[in-house]
Amino acid sequence: MARPFLIALTAALTLGPGLGLPAAAQGVYVSPPGTVVNPQPLTGKRLSVARELRVYGFGDANVAALSNRQIVLLDNTMHSGRSNGDKGARIRSILRGGGILQRGIDRLGRGG
């Protein structure tokens, strides 16, 4: 008779606090970072690239998250004398992060 009681007590002590944590943690509120609540407006070259990406059908691209290198490459591509189809393909490649060779070079440059 003592053994089932000890098993039940051990289970209650082991599982009880673990089961109570989600209910207790529901009242905790952690505010998001300020940049999420109040994102900084785009300025300069990023604003220009964001406007021009809409022309080529890439208006949903997150320009704020792009690296400076990608912004410069996009700007150079959009102002090149190539056809719109070629520009679109190059823009798509830049937004995806380049090809296999470029990703390898970027990893070597970052040291990882």
Side-chain angles (χ1 to χ4, degrees):
M1 184 154 163
R3 183 176 168 111
F5 175 76
L6 289 176
I7 292 173
L9 179 64
T10 305
L13 291 175
T14 305
L15 298 176
L19 294 175
L21 284 178
Q26 287 180 0
V28 177
Y29 176 75
V30 177
S31 61
T35 56
V36 173
V37 177
N38 297 319
Q40 299 297 320
L42 298 175
T43 58
K45 188 65 70 181
R46 286 186 186 274
L47 179 62
S48 171
V49 167
R51 287 180 181 157
E52 291 185 49
L53 280 176
R54 292 186 198 128
V55 173
Y56 295 101
F58 297 97
D60 59 343
N62 185 4
V63 178
L66 297 176
S67 69
N68 290 338
R69 177 184 168 276
Q70 287 174 310
I71 294 296
V72 171
L73 287 172
L74 287 170
D75 187 57
N76 288 339
T77 299
M78 287 185 242
H79 293 105
S80 66
R82 301 181 183 276
S83 69
N84 284 342
D86 191 20
K87 287 180 186 179
R90 287 175 183 261
I91 290 169
R92 188 175 305 108
S93 175
I94 293 166
L95 290 175
R96 287 183 180 165
I100 294 171
L101 180 60
Q102 185 62 51
R103 287 191 297 258
I105 292 170
D106 291 343
R107 278 192 210 121
L108 289 175
R110 285 193 310 257

